[in-house]
């Protein structure tokens, strides 16, 4: 199949290139804009309590003002506020409201904090219905501009925080992040390819080709978003860039290394490309299939954010696979050996390389290498025991000098940390009668006594009197672990248990949404992880015609995942003293490390099978496979890890955690899992690794030697520095 595909592409390269250009142009011109969503509540199914509470708010309190932003006032000299200062705050608030700024419904001055250090004004804004609408961010920007001249002549300083203000600051930071990630990704790919191949043509090849398919993939994803109401989280664009360039460059490298190997064996340029597609086409397709099904497994997630991210990234990988099997061979077949210009290294195989020595060492003592690599990954896995989830994505990812973060810190000098985003408790009559005032007052008293609750406002009744709304200010920041514990372990149980007979209590608000997201993520761990692992194992089984190899290959990626999570937890939580890791990180890490790590395992195990079919012993096949596939896997791993590492340039901890964990996981997958653990374990298991299909047997010929030795074999050649079994192809 792949041999026929290679011949078809090589014979009609211009038609292949033209077809790609035409299709890409059509998709880019007709596709809608890629959208994203930052509304956490929209990610959850309707049966979660926080969503049911939001439905009550919409139905019974449709005109309830939403706290979009909070202006935090304090004296410039840090002293206590005076009556004159409060009068200035009232005047400033009225002046700002009088400006009729769009989206600003009211600017209401609040009371002075008990310690007289802080006073606030609440900026009421309508509830966000369109995640693409940035009008409230524009309103905050205008408020900040108008606030400065209003403070002249007073002893006050002020800053604006709250959800809209944080969204504005996060948007500014994201624009910078997107630019840095895009530029950094391209630079890393170009520089590393120059170092590896010493050819400017190869260095620019991925940039040009993936630059063509990237907007095409984005357009297809946007079309899928519109057709299936998919929503992506705020980092999808950066992730998409990294996936397209990282995975695309990997597939280009797989082809180029095998193409160069064919040329060194005496193939002509056209025949060499056909040979390359034939030999690595199945491995690339299987590798891409593993990535696609792993990403597609996210459709089983409870979170709309992950359900949309999975198919979006799967689409990107599928487009990249098609380009790797058609567009890349077409372009390279036109260039021929000029693709390596000015380097002449494609003409001869280097002798005594580090990969040859590593292969020889693994072939001699596979048990030692398997044990050492397993212990290394196992030791790092212990760090995962300290993992903690963090839901404060905006607060933890924004630079501390941003105005919203400075104002939030100042606010906490005088008020409970939850003031910016209160939790709401709704008490609804189930017998359709009005709620007695005495019952609501008693219920308020029960809520006020909950540990972790700062204050509870008096009940606000709906128009028909059947529903009461209580605004609950928590003592801790809304997204903190303590706030989540308060809502989950104390506030919700008390609200449910103390609700008077004939009523039902629901707890909603941002903190309640985070509690439900945490529950949904725990559920996803028990569903998405096993399904993705099972799907990848099926692909491995079909590729290798084996029931044994898939198990230890998945064991290796499981160890790689644990080592990655452990190293990330140690770096950011223990050394970096961050409150936790992004709550979605284990899911994303699992899928990337397992799926992309399986890419390298597939490439290595395919070469192991190929060498075994040539008649080599299990030990000899391991040494030869590491010698020839090591440079490919090592180069691909370094480049892919480098592209993921560009996320750390974004300047916020959320993307830094993602960038480090994914790049570290890829390096573990390439240099420990695929290059050491897998070949060493395959050498130890020997012929049984391929049971029941015995795919290591030479078709129509003798099977592999089973003496387990690593000495010279028929047909092998040796050199001064390389192992005796490391033959040229």
């Amino acid at each position: 199949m792949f041999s026929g595909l290679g011949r078809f592409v090589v014979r009609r390269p211009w038609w292949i290139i033209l077809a790609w250009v035409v299709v890409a142009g059509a998709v880019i011109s007709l596709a809608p804009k890629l959208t994203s969503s930052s509304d956490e509540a929209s990610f959850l199914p309707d049966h979660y309590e926080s969503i049911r509470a939001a439905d009550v708010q919409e139905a019974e309190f449709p005109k309830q003002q939403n706290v979009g932003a909070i202006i935090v006032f304090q004296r410039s000299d840090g002293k206590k506020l005076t009556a004159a200062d409060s009068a200035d705050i009232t005047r400033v608030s009225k002046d700002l409201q009088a400006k009729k700024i769009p989206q600003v419904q009211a600017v209401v001055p609040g009371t002075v904090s008990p310690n007289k250090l802080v006073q606030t004004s609440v900026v009421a804004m309508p509830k966000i219905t369109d995640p693409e609408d940035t009008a409230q961010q524009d309103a905050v920007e205008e408020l900040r501009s108008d606030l400065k001249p209003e403070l002249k002549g007073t002893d006050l300083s002020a800053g604006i925080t709250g959800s809209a203000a944080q969204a504005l600051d996060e948007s500014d930071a994201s624009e910078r992040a997107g630019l840095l990630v895009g530029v950094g990704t391209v630079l890393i790919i170009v520089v590393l390819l120059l170092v590896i191949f010493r050819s400017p043509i190869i260095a620019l090849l991925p940039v040009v080709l993936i630059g063509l398919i990237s907007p095409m993939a984005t357009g297809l994803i946007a079309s899928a978003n519109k057709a299936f109401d998919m929503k992506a989280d705020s980092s999808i664009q950066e992730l998409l860039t990294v996936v397209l360039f990282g995975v695309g460059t990997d597939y280009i490298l797989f082809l180029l290394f095998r193409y160069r190997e064919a040329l060194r064996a005496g193939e002509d340029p056209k025949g060499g490309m056909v040979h390359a597609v034939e030999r690595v086409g199945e491995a690339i397709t299987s590798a891409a299939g593993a990535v696609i099904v792993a990403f597609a497994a996210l459709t089983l997630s409870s979170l709309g954010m992950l359900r949309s991210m999975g198919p979006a990234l799967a689409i990107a990988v599928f487009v990249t696979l098609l380009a790797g099997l058609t567009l890349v061979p077409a372009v390279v077949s036109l260039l021929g050996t000029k693709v390596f210009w000015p380097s002449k290294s494609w003409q001869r195989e280097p002798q005594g390389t580090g990969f040859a020595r590593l292969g020889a060492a693994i072939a001699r003592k596979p048990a030692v290498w398997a044990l050492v690599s397993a212990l290394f990954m196992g030791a790092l896995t212990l760090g995962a025991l300290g993992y903690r989830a963090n839901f404060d994505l905006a607060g933890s990812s924004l630079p501390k000098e941003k105005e919203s973060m400075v104002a939030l810190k100042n606010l906490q000098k005088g008020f409970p940390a939850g003031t910016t985003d209160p939790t709401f408790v709704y008490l609804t009559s189930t017998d359709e009668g009005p709620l007695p005032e005495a019952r609501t007052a008693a219920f308020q008293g029960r809520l006020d006594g909950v540990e972790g609750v700062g204050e509870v406002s008096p009940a606000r009744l709906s128009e028909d009197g059947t529903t009461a709304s209580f605004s609950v200010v928590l003592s801790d920041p809304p997204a903190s672990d303590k706030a989540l514990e308060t809502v989950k372990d104390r506030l919700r149980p008390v609200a449910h248990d103390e609700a008077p007979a004939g009523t039902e209590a629901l707890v909603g608000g941002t903190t309640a949404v985070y509690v439900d997201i945490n529950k949904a993520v725990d559920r996803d761990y028990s569903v998405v992880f096993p399904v993705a692992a099972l799907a990848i194992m099926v692909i491995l089984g079909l590729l290798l015609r084996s029931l044994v190899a898939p198990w230890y290959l998945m064991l290796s990626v499981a160890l790689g995942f644990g080592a990655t999570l452990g190293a990330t937890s140690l770096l950011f939580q223990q050394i970096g003293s961050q409150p936790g890791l992004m709550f979605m990180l284990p899911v994303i890490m699992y899928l990337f490390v397992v799926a992309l790590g399986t890419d390298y395992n597939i490439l290595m195990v395919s070469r192991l099978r190929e060498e075994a079919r040539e008649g080599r012993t299990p030990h000899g096949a391991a040494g030869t496979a590491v010698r020839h596939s090591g440079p490919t896997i090592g180069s691909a791993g370094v480049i892919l890890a480098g592209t993921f590492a560009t996320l750390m340039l974004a300047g916020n901890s959320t993307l830094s955690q993602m960038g480090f964990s994914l790049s570290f996981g890829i390096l573990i997958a390439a240099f420990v899992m695929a290059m050491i653990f897998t070949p060493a374990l395959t050498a130890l298991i020997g012929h049984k690794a391929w049971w029941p299909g015995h795919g290591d047997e030479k078709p129509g010929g003798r099977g592999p030697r089973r003496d387990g030795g690593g000495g010279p074999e028929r047909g092998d050649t040796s050199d001064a520095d390389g192992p005796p079994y490391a033959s040229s192809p």
Side-chain angles (χ1 to χ4, degrees), residues 32-36 174-175 177-179 181-182 185 214-219 221-222 225 232-245 309 312-313 316 646-647 655 658:
K33 180 182 178 183
L34 181 63
T35 60
S36 62
S174 295
E175 289 181 7
L179 178 62
V181 169
T185 298
S214 177
M216 178 182 173
T218 303
I221 294 167
N225 279 354
D233 76 303
S234 58
S235 65
I236 185 64
Q237 192 61 59
E238 285 80 11
L239 264 180
L240 193 59
T241 298
V242 169
V243 167
L244 283 167
F245 277 92
M309 180 191 297
L313 296 177
T646 60
L647 291 172
L655 288 179
M658 191 180 298

Side-chain angles (χ1 to χ4, degrees), residues 55 61 205 227 245 263 325-326 405 519 554 597 663:
D55 292 339
F61 303 95
L205 187 64
F245 277 92
L263 294 176
L325 293 176
T326 58
M405 301 305 296
K519 186 189 301 183
M554 289 307 297
S663 59

Side-chain angles (χ1 to χ4, degrees), residues 413-610:
K413 294 177 181 177
F415 290 102
T419 302
T420 59
D421 202 344
T423 294
F424 290 93
V425 179
Y426 299 99
L427 186 66
T428 303
S429 173
T430 56
D431 57 14
E432 299 183 357
L435 292 169
E437 183 177 346
R439 285 189 170 188
T440 58
F443 185 68
Q444 177 188 343
R446 301 288 191 278
L447 298 179
D448 206 12
V450 173
E451 181 186 351
V453 169
E455 59 185 34
V456 182
S457 67
R460 179 186 175 190
L461 293 177
S462 60
E463 289 186 3
D464 60 5
T466 60
T467 302
S469 171
F470 301 88
S471 178
V472 180
V473 176
L474 303 178
S475 303
D476 302 292
S480 65
D481 288 341
K482 290 184 177 180
L484 268 65
E485 290 174 4
T486 296
V487 170
K488 177 186 175 183
D489 299 332
R490 294 185 290 276
L491 182 60
R492 271 185 173 170
V494 168
H496 296 162
D497 295 342
E498 298 296 331
T503 65
E504 179 188 33
L506 296 173
V507 179
T510 301
T511 305
V513 169
Y514 288 145
V515 170
D516 290 340
I517 287 178
N518 197 14
K519 186 189 301 183
V521 169
D522 288 342
R523 176 260 179 198
D524 288 351
Y525 290 159
S526 64
V527 175
V528 177
F529 282 21
V531 169
L534 180 61
I536 292 174
M537 286 186 67
V538 169
I539 289 177
L540 289 171
L542 293 174
L543 169 68
L544 303 174
R545 285 82 168 172
S546 167
L547 294 178
V548 176
W551 285 99
Y552 68 81
L553 292 178
M554 289 307 297
L555 170 64
S556 73
V557 294
L559 283 172
F561 166 76
T564 303
L565 182 59
T568 307
S569 299
L570 289 172
L571 178 63
F572 287 94
Q573 292 180 188
Q574 305 301 323
I575 299 176
S577 300
Q578 291 192 10
L581 302 181
M582 180 181 65
F583 69 94
M584 296 184 302
L585 191 60
V587 177
I588 296 173
M589 186 190 305
Y590 175 84
L591 294 172
F592 275 93
V593 173
V594 169
L596 296 179
T598 302
D599 277 14
Y600 303 137
N601 262 345
I602 287 176
L603 194 69
M604 177 58 74
V605 81
S606 295
R607 189 62 185 246
L608 285 166
R609 182 183 61 179
E610 183 181 330

Side-chain angles (χ1 to χ4, degrees), residues 152 181 210 258 292 309 452 469 499 540 577 580 592 632 640 681:
K152 289 183 178 179
V181 169
I210 300 172
R258 201 58 189 251
I292 289 170
M309 180 191 297
S469 171
L540 289 171
S577 300
F592 275 93
T632 309
L640 186 57
L681 208 53

Side-chain angles (χ1 to χ4, degrees), residues 23-83:
V23 173
V27 170
I28 295 168
S29 61
L30 298 176
K33 180 182 178 183
L34 181 63
T35 60
S36 62
S37 173
S38 58
D39 181 7
E40 290 87 353
S42 69
F43 302 146
L44 285 168
D46 294 339
H47 66 270
Y48 282 95
E49 183 174 344
S50 59
I51 307 304
R52 292 164 57 207
D55 292 339
V56 171
Q57 187 268 320
E58 289 287 342
E60 303 296 338
F61 303 95
K63 296 182 180 179
Q64 179 175 310
Q65 291 180 329
N66 178 58
V67 179
I70 295 179
I71 307 175
V72 182
F73 295 92
Q74 61 181 350
R75 284 185 61 89
S76 302
D77 56 12
K79 295 180 180 179
K80 293 183 178 181
L81 293 166
T82 64

